[in-house]
Amino acid sequence: MTLGTPPYSPRSVTILGSTGSVGQNAVELIDYHQGQFTVEAVTAHRNVALLAAQALKLRAKLAVIADPDLYPSLCQALAGSGIKAAAGEEAVIEAALYPAELVVAALVGSVGLKPCLTAIERGAILAFANKEVLVSAGDLVMQQVKKNGATLLPIDSEHNAIFQIYDPHQRDHIRRIILTASGGPFRTWSREAMAAAQPDQALRHPNWSMGAKITIDSATMMNKGLEIIEAHYLFGLAAAKIDVVIHPQSIIHSMLEYEDGSILAELGAPDMRTPIAHALAWPRRMSSTSSKLDLLTIADLQFFAPDLVKFPALNLARNCLLAGGAAPTIMNAANEIAVAAFLARQIGFAEITALVDQALNKIPNCALTSLEDILAIDFATRQTTLALIKQT
Ligand code: MG
């Protein structure tokens, strides 16, 4: 642990997915704490201009663009800087191999599985935002974390909140985790109005500023479904001990209830820079550029039960967790395809969750024993879901 005793040596960091919402916030915080961090590698999907600017600003050793067609542009942007440029999926895995103490896992989707496993296999600390990886391959990922002495630090605000108040020695005395959910942009909409919602309406999240995929997941509440599964793996609690409550203000980021009746909560402004700063500095603390919470302005905190009829994704996810095997993998892959199709205006809003349900009915559940099994089911589900979309 390089951040153990003063004088602290800089912590080495790699950011997988540096141009996304979480990645950009991580870059901002690292830049804000000049001298506290060194950067091994940054990777992005297609945003070459921002990736190159980040690599130059942070003086990274390696910059990787996942789309190989963009390799010449990256080389050009980094010419003369001494920063190594690389492209393609294998190069993203190479970035995860660079010897950073902490890897910010901020890719979107199960595409992050191999890079995350690579960082886990070398025992890194993962500041973990890529929840689809835990949903798609939770058993395998947690086995590898244990086997290799790696650490998962949740960046997802709910799980980061639980992590901050969770005492692993008292796990048997936890009555339940209470994940809070804003309810998304359609909390007060009718089912009919929701069914006709357009991408720009679904992308207007009331509280959080996030990427497109997670914002659509918030609108269907599949995001909270994914988070139930994420919480199960991170904290080792059964599905029955993970509850969801609607809290439209997003001030309480989640709660933990112990059997003696105590409920512990973490509060803050809805600003991802707080959990990202917490993970980057852990087990220490550092200042953050995030907004501050003024308690006097939040006198009215509300809590409601989720509407499971309007948001069927919540129970769908819970049932997949209970079913186990390939069900969560199928659910996640079908959802990734369905969300992309909605954003491309190929399907309506109500069809997102309906398609996930159809994919789950069409593909038989089975046990997953290896990475190859997971990748095969993930691929087959994508093909099946694309075929289902063509039929609509
Ligand atoms: Mg969250």
Side-chain angles (χ1 to χ4, degrees), residues 16 64 88-98 114-115 118-119:
L16 305 174
V64 175
E89 270 181 41
E90 288 304 312
V92 178
I93 294 169
E94 185 194 338
L97 274 172
Y98 267 48
K114 280 189 190 171
T118 302

Side-chain angles (χ1 to χ4, degrees), residues 81-369:
S81 68
I83 299 168
K84 185 182 171 191
E89 270 181 41
E90 288 304 312
V92 178
I93 294 169
E94 185 194 338
L97 274 172
Y98 267 48
E101 183 197 9
L102 183 141
V103 175
V104 179
L107 298 170
V108 178
S110 61
V111 68
L113 179 53
K114 280 189 190 171
C116 281
L117 282 174
T118 302
I120 288 167
E121 279 162 13
R122 63 173 185 78
I125 301 169
L126 264 73
F128 190 77
N130 192 179
K131 68 186 87 181
E132 295 92 346
V133 164
L134 263 188
V135 173
S136 187
D139 289 323
L140 176 72
V141 168
M142 295 316 289
Q143 272 167 23
Q144 291 300 313
V145 164
K146 204 169 172 190
K147 183 178 158 197
N148 296 289
T151 305
L152 287 190
L153 297 176
I155 283 181
D156 205 351
S157 60
E158 296 78 1
H159 306 75
N160 180 268
I162 302 291
F163 181 82
Q164 293 199 44
I165 55 188
Y166 175 75
D167 179 353
H169 303 296
Q170 304 297 335
R171 199 176 74 185
D172 294 344
H173 303 285
I174 291 172
R175 191 178 283 160
R176 59 181 179 142
I177 281 177
I178 306 164
L179 294 176
T180 54
S182 70
F186 301 146
R187 182 176 64 86
T188 58
W189 288 35
S190 69
R191 277 185 90 180
E192 295 70 32
M194 259 171 69
Q198 296 300 305
D200 60 314
Q201 295 171 306
L203 285 170
R204 251 176 255 147
H205 196 281
N207 301 342
W208 294 96
S209 165
M210 307 178 290
K213 198 267 177 178
I214 185 173
T215 306
I216 300 300
D217 282 344
S218 297
T220 60
M221 289 200 73
M222 177 56 90
N223 182 51
K224 210 52 53 180
L226 300 176
E227 289 181 356
I228 291 173
I229 301 176
E230 184 184 12
H232 162 76
Y233 283 111
L234 284 171
F235 304 111
L237 291 173
K241 287 191 167 188
I242 306 169
D243 274 351
V244 171
V245 67
I246 304 293
H247 167 46
Q249 292 79 21
S250 299
I251 297 299
I252 295 179
H253 298 143
S254 277
M255 294 172 266
L256 203 49
E257 180 178 344
Y258 285 96
E259 64 183 1
D260 59 11
S262 301
I263 294 184
L264 307 190
E266 187 264 346
L267 287 73
D271 186 325
M272 286 305 295
R273 288 172 294 189
T274 296
I276 296 168
H278 173 262
L280 284 173
W282 182 88
R284 292 167 57 210
R285 296 265 178 183
M286 70 181 194
S287 61
S288 162
T289 49
S290 55
S291 340
K292 306 292 175 282
L293 176 63
D294 179 359
L295 286 170
L296 301 181
T297 65
I298 53 145
D300 187 19
L301 295 185
Q302 296 169 303
F303 303 95
F304 306 103
D307 184 336
L308 300 174
V309 178
K310 223 167 89 176
F311 299 102
L314 268 176
N315 270 346
L316 201 62
R318 193 178 284 282
N319 291 337
C320 284
L321 175 57
L322 291 170
T329 315
I330 295 166
M331 182 192 80
N332 177 69
N335 183 57
E336 287 187 29
I337 294 293
V339 169
F342 171 69
L343 286 170
R345 298 178 181 272
Q346 292 163 349
I347 61 168
F349 184 78
E351 288 169 90
I352 301 173
T353 310
L355 267 171
V356 177
D357 197 22
Q358 284 172 44
L360 281 160
N361 286 324
K362 201 155 176 135
I363 302 166
N365 197 1
C366 59
L368 299 176
T369 54

